[in-house]
Amino acid sequence: MTTIDVAAATRLREAIMSVARAARTHRPDHGLPLTQITVLGYLDRSGTTTVAELADRMHVRVQSLTVSMNKLDDGGLIVRRTDPVDRRRQLVELTEAGRALILDDRAQRDAWLAQSFADNFDDTERGLMMLCVPLFERLASDRGR
């Protein structure tokens, strides 16, 4: 088995982070901080969830989400309701406005990436990068090892 050395791992991490930063700069200005956009993204991917589960996925404390949740609720982007099974828990879900905002956010970043691919890479390079997508997905899912 071939292993990657620390220097190579550092280069890979830095490259991935550079692409992520570049994608963030092409995010539309919705007037929301990144934390609130992140909450909307998690809710869109996970569906209805509890605040505790959301905090766990985001690796933050429930208390850290309170201000963001209040602002998103006040802005009509999420709705909170009592869990009918366990009345002590609160369920959170996206509203249609919240879903539209996060879909617009993604669409603009996807358009930037597609244009960047078209402008900067030939067919062979684009194909090679697309072959790497499942590898990056697997790398991203390896959270605990």
Side-chain angles (χ1 to χ4, degrees), residues 108-127:
Q108 288 199 38
R109 288 180 292 134
D110 290 348
W112 161 76
L113 188 57
Q115 189 63 54
S116 183
F117 263 52
D119 292 347
N120 297 296
F121 303 100
D122 63 30
D123 288 342
T124 301
E125 291 169 323
R126 285 190 292 272

Side-chain angles (χ1 to χ4, degrees), residues 43-55:
L43 287 172
D44 185 55
R45 285 187 298 277
S46 68
T48 303
T49 189
T50 67
V51 176
E53 290 166 346
L54 185 60

Side-chain angles (χ1 to χ4, degrees), residues 70-101:
N70 289 340
K71 290 190 182 221
L72 291 170
D73 194 3
D74 292 345
L77 300 173
I78 64 166
V79 64
R80 295 182 278 193
R81 59 186 164 81
T82 303
D83 185 338
V85 175
D86 183 347
R87 311 239 353 120
R88 297 167 296 175
R89 294 183 348 159
Q90 190 175 66
L91 297 176
V92 183
E93 61 189 325
L94 281 178
T95 62
E96 286 306 313
R99 182 164 285 107
L101 187 144

Side-chain angles (χ1 to χ4, degrees), residues 51-72:
V51 176
E53 290 166 346
L54 185 60
D56 185 54
R57 282 192 201 107
M58 292 179 66
H59 304 286
V60 298
R61 294 179 309 132
V62 171
Q63 296 83 348
S64 300
L65 287 179
T66 301
V67 171
S68 291
M69 300 304 283
N70 289 340
K71 290 190 182 221
L72 291 170

